[in-house]
Amino acid sequence: MKKGMAGVRYVLRSAAAKVAAGAVGALAVIPGLVLRTGAAAMGGLLRLLRLAPRTGAKWGIYFTRWSLHLAKKVHTRLMTKAKKQLVAETRPDVLTEFDEPGHTRPLTADDPFGADYFGGNLVSVFQTETEAVREAYAAYDPPMMLAVAAEYWGLPEGVTSVAEAVRQLAVNTADKYPADAKMADQVAAVYALLHQAAQKAAEVGPLFAKVHENDLRRFEEPRPGEHMWNILERRPDGGFDQREPSRFVAVAQDVAHVYARYEPGHMNQVAAEYEGIPAGIENIAAAVSLLQVRSNDRYPVDKAVVDAITDVHQILMQAASAAQELMPSFRRLHAPDIARHEAPRNGEESEAMWDV
């Protein structure tokens, strides 16, 4: 259904692009003809003076084709935009459509790397661990606002834990793996965006404390009989404190801990990590998005807090987008090495004679 609707919108955008291009081309015909007439007149004068016999004809042809070039440029730009929107609209919903933990994405006929490619049948540790974060956080329902506050304060630490795993991959790519130096730079660029997201996340807790100062004071400095101001006839059990680690922190820390101990034994395992980074970051972005949605729809918090969490989510999605380039770059930079595995000359045993 989702892809069908996206396809309909793509057809409509394509038709609109053709109409717009035709309209622009038609509008450009009039000034083109005027300029062609002027060029022809100027060319005639120059020919009489024997200064430039072909100038008028040359520019006349240019102005005649001007409308066609303009129409083509408008059509190309609008179609490019329509195709990007189609890709975005048919991309799986990161909140609801994701693989089971421990499984890589299914291969399809449209897979850019073919049906059997280097590292494609292996599990990405980063993706698997972040899927666990996503599922654990989706199942968590804070019982009171101090527990929600802990999530706001814990955002930067949780994002930093995930970023640490990507930083470790960048360091290993540069120092331990037989990979091109450009790969380390690209992974580092993804880490830089995650670090930026962590810095933005550090603004959420203080903002929450500022805009909800009066609400928090009821817990931190309760007046005698403070419970008499409660909305419902029940009191908190006092078992939560905003200075305790949040659930997001607790589950995200495992990503950094597991990845610090992970030692790939083959480059196809490293390739699987490069491919799994985008989906892994999307898993974390989905958890942050869930907090944003709940803050907007369920929790009694100021909308400024919701906007701040939205900013964190947007930067995380930028990091996921940047990470999409890792696997294509890996294949491009290591094409001869990968070819030995995907298309061994005279079979694997023969190709293995080149093993070091």
Side-chain angles (χ1 to χ4, degrees):
M1 182 66 179
K2 179 180 178 181
K3 291 184 178 180
M5 292 300 296
V8 171
R9 286 191 289 270
Y10 175 73
V11 171
L12 293 175
R13 292 187 187 112
S14 300
K18 291 177 174 58
V19 172
V24 170
L27 291 173
V29 166
I30 298 174
L33 291 175
V34 173
L35 291 172
R36 179 185 178 183
T37 302
M42 180 62 71
L45 178 61
L46 293 176
R47 281 197 300 272
L48 288 174
L49 299 175
R50 297 184 179 181
L51 295 176
R54 293 189 177 183
T55 300
K58 176 182 177 182
W59 283 99
I61 294 173
Y62 173 79
F63 290 130
T64 301
R65 295 176 179 174
W66 186 25
S67 62
L68 296 176
H69 289 307
L70 203 57
K72 183 178 180 181
K73 187 173 183 180
V74 170
H75 183 264
T76 300
R77 179 172 296 183
L78 291 177
M79 286 302 298
T80 300
K81 184 178 179 181
K83 290 177 182 178
K84 287 183 179 179
Q85 288 175 315
L86 177 64
V87 172
E89 290 172 356
T90 55
R91 191 175 186 177
D93 183 356
V94 297
L95 284 175
T96 58
E97 302 173 17
F98 57 98
D99 301 330
E100 291 297 322
H103 297 276
T104 56
R105 60 179 174 80
L107 300 180
T108 67
D110 297 329
D111 196 294
F113 307 136
D116 184 17
Y117 60 97
F118 190 69
N121 61 336
L122 298 176
V123 177
S124 165
V125 173
F126 181 78
Q127 183 175 348
T128 302
E129 291 299 316
T130 55
E131 283 172 352
V133 172
R134 177 185 189 154
E135 291 191 341
Y137 200 66
Y140 177 54
D141 188 12
M144 60 184 299
M145 279 309 297
L146 286 187
V148 176
E151 298 308 310
Y152 295 147
W153 285 102
L155 271 179
E157 185 176 350
V159 175
T160 297
S161 293
V162 175
E164 177 60 23
V166 177
R167 189 195 69 83
Q168 189 65 52
L169 178 61
V171 171
N172 290 343
T173 299
D175 298 342
K176 297 172 63 174
Y177 303 152
D180 192 285
K182 293 179 181 177
M183 283 303 303
D185 293 338
Q186 283 191 269
V187 180
V190 175
Y191 165 73
L193 285 169
L194 291 175
H195 180 66
Q196 183 181 341
Q199 289 180 315
K200 179 61 69 173
E203 300 175 5
V204 176
L207 176 62
F208 171 78
K210 180 180 179 180
V211 297
H212 293 283
E213 180 181 1
N214 291 330
D215 296 309
L216 292 170
R217 187 178 295 119
R218 296 187 59 228
F219 291 93
E220 297 169 351
E221 301 174 6
R223 296 162 291 187
E226 186 67 62
H227 67 280
M228 295 175 65
W229 281 108
N230 287 355
I231 299 295
L232 301 178
E233 288 298 324
R234 64 170 182 257
R235 298 181 62 182
D237 60 11
F240 296 91
D241 190 285
Q242 68 188 68
R243 287 170 291 278
E244 293 180 1
S246 72
R247 179 63 60 90
F248 181 66
V249 170
V251 293
Q253 283 178 336
D254 288 341
V255 179
H257 294 162
V258 170
Y259 219 73
R261 298 191 299 268
Y262 179 51
E263 292 287 345
H266 196 277
M267 282 304 292
N268 59 356
Q269 295 172 312
V270 177
E273 294 308 311
Y274 293 143
E275 186 176 23
I277 293 296
I281 296 175
E282 287 182 355
N283 285 329
I284 300 304
V288 174
S289 179
L290 182 61
L291 178 61
Q292 182 266 335
V293 170
R294 289 177 174 176
S295 297
N296 186 65
D297 299 342
R298 292 174 49 187
Y299 303 151
V301 296
D302 192 278
K303 295 305 179 185
V305 177
V306 177
D307 293 340
I309 301 172
T310 301
D311 292 340
V312 177
H313 178 263
Q314 289 177 345
I315 299 175
L316 287 172
M317 292 306 295
Q318 290 175 15
S321 179
Q324 292 283 355
E325 301 299 321
L326 292 179
M327 189 60 176
S329 293
F330 175 75
R331 292 187 63 85
R332 183 176 65 255
L333 293 170
H334 305 89
D337 298 308
I338 294 173
R340 295 184 59 238
H341 292 266
E342 294 183 339
R345 293 162 289 190
N346 290 327
E348 292 183 352
E349 292 186 2
S350 297
E351 189 65 71
M353 294 176 68
W354 282 107
D355 285 355
V356 177

